[in-house]
Amino acid sequence: DAGVTQSPTHLIKTRGQQVTLRCSPISGHKSVSWYQQVLGQGPQFIFQYYEKEERGRGNFPDRFSARQFPNYSSELNVNALLLGDSALYLCASRHGPGATNEKLFFGSGTQLSVL
Amino acid sequence: TQLLEQSPQFLSIQEGENLTVYCNSSSVFSSLQWYRQEPGEGPVLLVTVVTGGEVKKLKRLTFQFGDARKDSSLHITAAQPGDTGLYLCAGAGSSNTGKLIFGQGTTLQVKP
């Protein structure tokens, strides 16, 4: 079975542009989370979606938005890009909404560089 | 705000040595997970600890959750070059948002 797949793997944008990152969860998984990982730091939680509804949001500006589709895939949108948005964006999926012992599976991420 | 502090941030050791990585917080977590991340890849779950005082072993890796569920440690015995990578601890809160709070990570280099 395929793992969590993310596209594109790498992306270069300039300040002020907009970007859309895509994620396909593991088959059967209904929950998708997005994390931002800046070089040298641990991942920071951005959003979680379960059954197409937003279940959690991290401390990120409104420039960041996301949605989950009926097939449980997800998109992360970032508007008005800043240099500080340069990071590895990770998508993770799990079967349920996030019970304590539920395993989270990460994709390989999209490396976004903002010039 | 829940925070997790990991130490040390960097560790470079020789093959065969032992090491311990610490993950500390002033907050209580319902569970704590340890991940390993290789360059260009996402984190891969190693273990989840749930009960205060819990100890789990995964081959040469031993994980412990503090009695108060505020801290955890990862001990590696006889480290090997294949253990090289970024080790991350992550705490889950009590709400059902699925949100994980990650530490800043420990970069481990094991030299042959």
Side-chain angles (χ1 to χ4, degrees), chain B residues 33-36 44-48 58 61 63 74 87-88:
Chain B
Q33 300 179 339
W34 284 92
Y35 290 82
R36 182 170 155 220
V44 176
L45 180 66
L46 297 173
V47 77
T48 301
L58 187 65
L61 278 61
F63 305 85
L74 157 61
Y87 289 83
L88 295 157

Side-chain angles (χ1 to χ4, degrees), chain A residues 35 37 40-43 45 48 55 90 94 97-104 106-108, chain B residues 30-31 33 35 37 40-43 45 48 50 86 88 96-100 102-104:
Chain A
Y35 286 80
Q37 187 175 23
Q41 297 183 19
F45 174 78
Q48 193 218 4
R55 295 293 294 265
L90 294 163
R94 52 160 56 105
T100 296
N101 235 345
E102 207 166 8
K103 189 172 179 178
L104 193 62
F106 282 87
S108 297
Chain B
S30 59
S31 69
Q33 300 179 339
Y35 290 82
Q37 185 177 20
E41 299 293 329
L45 180 66
T48 301
V50 179
L86 176 66
L88 295 157
N96 206 20
T97 65
K99 174 182 179 179
L100 290 178
F102 279 86
Q104 67 267 53

